[in-house]
Amino acid sequence: QWYQRRVRVRDVAWAPDTGFTTSTIASCCQDGKVFIWQCKDLDKANWDIKRTMHTFDDVVWHLSWSVMGDILAVSGGDNKITLWKESHKGAWICISKQDSNKTN
């Protein structure tokens, strides 16, 4: 459960409301983990971790959903920005990487 974790949460991003009955948020932590949470009834506020989306090698600082709520941008202490999309099977796949340490 989320309340049993003793790791500092660095950011939380609420996915835009796109008409689905389920609300989704993403959270990132000091230990490099990104979690996807879902709630089917906001009145009851019963949030469940749907899955650990990914565990990064460094702290994750910031999350941001696309306007449609289907792509999650993740940035962290490794100075990289990655874009993630959920597959039809429920797995999260990295669809783009940007390394700010590299100059073009």
Side-chain angles (χ1 to χ4, degrees):
Q1 290 287 354
W2 67 271
Y3 52 83
Q4 295 173 339
R5 292 189 43 83
R6 300 275 188 234
V7 179
R8 187 169 295 195
V9 174
R10 292 297 180 180
D11 195 16
V12 176
W14 199 296
D17 181 3
T18 56
F20 292 108
T21 59
T22 302
S23 295
T24 303
I25 60 174
S27 65
C28 61
C29 300
Q30 181 74 27
D31 64 358
K33 291 186 173 144
V34 175
F35 295 100
I36 304 298
W37 303 74
Q38 289 192 327
C39 180
K40 294 185 180 189
D41 186 351
L42 291 177
D43 292 331
K44 293 181 182 175
N46 189 15
W47 288 91
D48 293 312
I49 295 177
K50 181 177 177 188
R51 69 175 51 243
T52 302
M53 187 202 79
H54 189 74
T55 301
F56 293 85
D57 294 332
D58 206 339
V59 59
V60 178
W61 293 107
H62 190 67
L63 304 167
S64 182
W65 289 98
S66 65
V67 175
M68 295 301 295
D70 60 340
I71 296 173
L72 182 65
V74 180
S75 64
D78 59 0
N79 293 322
K80 295 178 183 175
I81 300 169
T82 53
L83 300 179
W84 296 80
K85 185 173 178 104
E86 188 176 19
S87 74
H88 67 281
K89 292 183 178 180
W92 284 84
I93 300 167
C94 182
I95 59 172
S96 180
K97 294 179 186 178
Q98 175 64 41
D99 187 343
S100 65
N101 291 324
K102 295 181 181 178
T103 56
N104 294 333

